[in-house]
């Protein structure tokens, strides 16, 4: 962990507050940026921008945004406890070189709602496994601008990059004292086929953690703006914003425009205030942001999800089980949980075609969504619930070379072989804090893990396992390998005597070939998923100078994991006449 320093955002004192600036900021050079900033509050009297009461008990934070010599938005924040100081901050911001906006800061908080019961039904509903043959998000970085990410969680191991912490002003290994951001990150990129917990929707994507919320899940939009710019400058391809405020802040609007000008896709939670009349949520309603509503397991809109003209698309948001600090898994509800499904889909699209613009990614997501509610676009679902397989199908076909392709082949989510104790799958409270039991107390008892009733129960055939186990997507539908040959008719007798009639063809169809999927958890490691057969011989074969050689045989199970295989060589699996795709370890 290190202080944000040269080339990064640094802290500086400013009128009893905190100012976030860039060391390379040059007040003397302000070229026109390549993106169009939003100008706000530059010619307004301070009293019109400030709240009526400014005091020790009601302080105000004044946010000023300017453009630096590189065309980057720089957000400065000053705090004041009286009107005179606050007015001086406003005037200083209006007169600053390169100024584009001055305004009062707005609180922001996590966008999650009440917890229900666990089930990883979400990946099956959006057909994530059918998108994986085309992309698993490899090479794509998704920034999670949130409460942080627990980079030590075993289901996120190796997938979390060093990030920025705008609460402590440091950069380095990520932490998450709240838990919300870790849950979001797991939905996007939890490891798949590693024998731990859940499967991420874009399992080969990397997570860039940017902490802007404190241990209670609260923060300011000014930090969100700085987080967006930070993520953009540190290689993010997709930005997930599972946060919500009820007022627009120009600093965030400009940061979003800056990110999009660099080719970054920005996704945000649509808000959870439906019972309060669905006030417009920001940054979801900012221009260029993909705003996400939440659906339940029966494809209905949830009781908390905002409705409005700014909603672009919907995604699963109820009963979402994901990673949580302390090597745990919890279930949460909210548009906060829906947004990372869309961010993960954006990562799958970018992984399939790195040249896709933010607009093209949004078109693929919205244009392929499954229409729900009234026909056509509506304010509850936007264009409809996302469909990962359909979105990937909108792209031009890929033609990889089997001999040189090395990305991790797709897998089918397996049923779990073991069920963890219910105490390890607690339900977070309304504020996303963990319940009693194995986590800090908030007065909520841990769930027993019983499946929900009514509309929150997945359909028959997709009964979910408990919270720490992957959710099978139901009947597998990826393209299977070659079918086993049909039984041949009895050949004619060799005698010159009249031929016996051919044996009548069997009316029983040959069994379907098994589905075999491979995943590479690490160098020299292989996870094998076999669906459709059990206890028949499975051969693991390696390709070397002598061709394909069987190096191991074992009886088929749904999931098997192996270490100590030769790194850098192609491997495949053969079972019941079906040969898997080739994977390089």
């Amino acid at each position: 962990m290190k202080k944000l320093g040269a080339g990064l955002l640094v802290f500086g004192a400013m009128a009893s507050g905190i100012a976030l600036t860039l060391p390379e900021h040059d007040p003397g050079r302000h070229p026109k940026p390549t993106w169009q900033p939003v100008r706000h509050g530059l010619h307004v009297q301070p009293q019109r921008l400030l709240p009526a009461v400014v005091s020790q008990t009601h302080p105000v934070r004044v946010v000023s945004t300017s453009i630096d010599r590189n065309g980057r938005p720089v957000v400065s924040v000053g705090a004041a406890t009286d009107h005179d100081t606050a007015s001086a901050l406003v005037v200083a911001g209006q007169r600053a070189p390169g100024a584009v906006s001055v305004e009062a800061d707005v609180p922001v908080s996590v966008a999650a709602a009440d917890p229900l019961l666990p089930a990883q039904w979400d990946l099956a509903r959006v057909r994530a496994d059918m998108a994986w043959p085309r992309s698993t998000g490899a090479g794509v970085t998704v920034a999670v601008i949130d409460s942080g990410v627990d980079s030590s969680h075993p289901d996120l191991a190796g997938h979390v990059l060093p990030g920025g912490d705008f609460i402590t002003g440091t950069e380095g290994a990520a932490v998450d004292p709240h838990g919300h951001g870790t849950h979001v990150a797991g939905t996007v990129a939890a490891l798949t086929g590693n024998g731990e917990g859940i499967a991420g929707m874009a399992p080969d994507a990397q997570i860039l953690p940017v902490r802007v919320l404190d241990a209670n899940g609260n923060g300011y939009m000014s930090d969100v703006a700085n987080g967006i710019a930070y993520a953009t400058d540190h290689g993010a391809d997709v930005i997930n914003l599972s946060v919500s405020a009820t007022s627009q802040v120009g600093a965030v609007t400009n940061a979003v425009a800056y990110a999009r000008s660099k080719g970054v896709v920005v996704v945000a939670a649509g808000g959870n205030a439906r019972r309060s009349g669905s006030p417009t949520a920001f940054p979801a309603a900012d221009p260029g942001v993909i705003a996400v509503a939440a659906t339940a397991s029966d494809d209905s809109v949830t009781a908390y999800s905002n409705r409005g003209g700014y909603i672009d698309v919907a995604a699963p948001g109820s009963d979402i089980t994901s990673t949580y600090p302390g090597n745990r898994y919890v279930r949460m509800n909210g548009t906060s949980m829906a947004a990372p499904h869309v961010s993960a889909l954006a990562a799958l699209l970018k992984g399939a075609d790195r040249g896709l613009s933010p607009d093209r990614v949004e078109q693929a997501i919205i244009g392929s969504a499954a229409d729900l509610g009234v026909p056509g676009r509506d304010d509850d679902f936007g264009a409809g619930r996302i469909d990962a397989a359909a979105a990937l199908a909108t792209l031009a076909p890929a033609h990889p070379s089997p001999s040189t392709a090395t990305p991790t082949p797709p897998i089918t989510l397996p049923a779990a072989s073991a069920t963890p104790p219910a105490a390890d799958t607690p339900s977070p409270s309304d504020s996303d804090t963990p319940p009693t039991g194995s986590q800090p107390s908030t007065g909520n008892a841990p769930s027993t893990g019983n499946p929900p009733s009514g509309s929150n129960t997945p359909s028959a055939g997709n009964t979910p396992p408990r919270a720490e186990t992957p959710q099978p997507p139901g009947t597998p539908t990826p393209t299977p390998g070659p079918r086993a040959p049909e039984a041949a008719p009895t050949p004619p007798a060799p005698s010159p005597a009249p031929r016996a009639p051919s044996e009548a063809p069997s009316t029983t169809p040959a069994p379907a070939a098994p589905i075999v999927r491979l995943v590479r958890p690490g160098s020299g490691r292989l996870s094998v998923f076999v669906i459709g057969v059990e206890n028949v011989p499975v051969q693991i074969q390696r390709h070397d100078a002598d061709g394909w050689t069987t190096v191991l045989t074992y009886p088929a199970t749904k999931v098997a994991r192996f270490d100590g295989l030769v790194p850098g060589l192609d491997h495949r699996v053969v079972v019941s006449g079906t040969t898997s795709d080739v994977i390089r370890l």
Side-chain angles (χ1 to χ4, degrees):
M1 187 70 70
K2 64 181 181 180
K3 289 290 183 182
L4 292 173
L8 304 172
L9 297 177
V10 297
F11 287 92
M14 179 178 178
S16 301
I18 293 296
L20 292 167
T21 59
L22 280 175
E24 64 266 28
H25 178 57
D26 182 354
R29 293 185 59 192
H30 300 283
K32 184 177 180 181
T34 57
W35 52 280
Q36 185 61 46
V38 175
R39 302 186 184 276
H40 173 72
L42 296 181
H43 306 288
V44 179
Q45 292 297 317
Q47 58 267 29
R48 295 184 58 187
L49 296 177
L50 298 172
V53 177
V54 180
S55 65
Q56 289 285 348
T57 56
H58 296 88
V60 66
R61 289 162 53 103
V62 176
V63 182
S64 302
T65 306
S66 59
I67 306 300
D68 74 0
R69 65 183 182 184
N70 297 314
R72 182 186 189 277
V74 178
V75 180
S76 299
V77 183
T81 57
D82 61 84
H83 258 289
D84 290 343
T85 303
S87 296
L89 289 172
V90 171
V91 173
Q94 291 172 332
R95 295 175 179 176
V100 293
S101 68
V102 180
E103 58 211 316
D105 209 347
V106 173
V108 67
S109 61
V110 298
D114 298 336
L116 294 177
L117 293 175
Q120 207 178 358
W121 60 273
D122 44 329
L123 299 191
R125 182 55 53 87
V126 303
R127 300 201 298 164
D129 60 321
M130 295 182 66
W132 289 340
R134 182 71 184 275
S135 172
T136 55
V140 178
T141 298
V142 179
V144 174
I145 298 179
D146 211 290
S147 63
V149 174
D150 180 6
S151 58
S152 67
H153 196 291
D155 228 355
L156 295 170
H159 278 204
V160 183
L161 303 169
D165 188 327
F166 287 87
I167 302 302
T168 62
T170 56
E171 184 191 35
V175 297
D176 183 5
H178 183 273
H180 185 267
T182 301
H183 194 280
V184 168
T187 297
V188 176
L191 296 172
T192 300
N194 64 331
E196 294 282 350
I198 64 165
M201 186 168 163
D204 287 329
Q206 296 286 305
I207 297 295
L208 175 64
V210 183
R211 185 181 175 213
V212 299
L213 303 177
D214 62 19
N216 296 316
N218 299 317
Y220 287 95
M221 289 284 267
S222 56
D223 286 335
V224 173
N226 270 313
I228 294 170
Y230 177 93
T232 301
D233 293 342
H234 287 76
D237 300 294
V238 180
I239 290 175
N240 186 89
L241 297 165
S242 287
V243 297
S244 181
T246 55
S247 298
Q248 186 175 23
V249 172
V252 173
T253 306
N254 280 315
V256 169
Y258 172 70
R260 284 177 51 84
S261 76
K262 302 296 184 181
V264 181
V265 179
V266 183
V267 178
N272 302 317
R274 191 183 188 91
R275 294 184 180 94
S276 300
S278 296
T280 301
F282 295 92
D286 272 308
V289 176
I290 302 176
V292 186
T295 58
S297 59
D298 62 353
D299 269 346
S300 64
V301 67
T302 62
Y304 52 80
S305 182
N306 277 15
R307 71 187 312 272
Y310 66 96
I311 296 296
D312 293 307
V313 74
S318 286
D319 304 358
I320 306 302
T321 301
S322 189
T323 47
Y324 202 75
N327 300 350
R328 289 166 289 180
Y329 302 85
V330 302
R331 49 197 179 267
M332 292 184 180
N333 273 19
T335 56
S336 272
M337 285 62 250
H341 290 87
V342 178
S343 294
L345 178 51
L348 294 178
L349 289 163
K350 293 284 281 187
D353 186 347
R354 298 289 298 167
L356 293 177
S357 67
D359 285 340
R360 180 65 184 90
V361 170
E362 182 174 357
Q363 290 167 3
I365 292 172
I366 291 176
S368 62
D371 190 16
L372 300 176
V374 299
R377 194 217 165 271
D378 61 74
D379 287 351
D380 286 326
F381 302 98
R385 191 250 307 133
I386 62 168
D387 184 328
L392 269 292
T394 67
L395 304 184
H399 301 286
S401 169
S403 62
T404 59
T406 58
T408 303
I411 68 166
T412 297
L413 295 177
S417 58
T419 301
D424 288 337
T425 57
S427 171
S429 72
D430 292 355
S431 60
D432 289 339
T433 52
T436 58
S438 62
Q439 305 181 36
S441 173
T442 59
N444 295 332
S447 167
T448 61
N450 294 327
S453 61
S455 64
N456 290 322
T457 303
S459 59
N462 274 336
T463 302
R466 296 170 82 165
E468 285 192 46
T469 57
Q471 165 67 13
T475 304
T477 54
T479 304
R483 295 178 61 87
E486 301 276 354
T490 302
S495 167
R499 296 178 183 269
S502 296
E503 183 178 326
S506 171
T507 58
T508 302
I515 295 176
V516 184
R517 296 292 183 263
L518 310 181
V519 66
R520 175 186 177 273
S523 178
R525 301 173 61 195
L526 178 66
S527 295
V528 182
F529 301 90
V530 177
I531 308 297
V533 296
E534 290 188 4
N535 297 321
V536 300
V538 179
Q539 297 178 343
I540 297 179
Q541 298 182 345
R542 180 180 68 222
H543 191 271
D544 51 28
D546 297 324
W548 287 104
T549 303
T550 298
V551 295
L552 182 65
T553 301
Y554 72 95
T557 60
K558 288 184 178 179
V559 185
R561 298 176 174 87
F562 303 92
D563 292 326
L565 300 173
V566 180
L569 294 183
D570 289 340
H571 288 70
R572 70 183 184 185
V573 165
V574 179
V575 54
S576 297
T578 296
T579 301
S580 73
D581 293 332
V582 175
I583 184 171
R584 180 160 295 174
L585 301 183

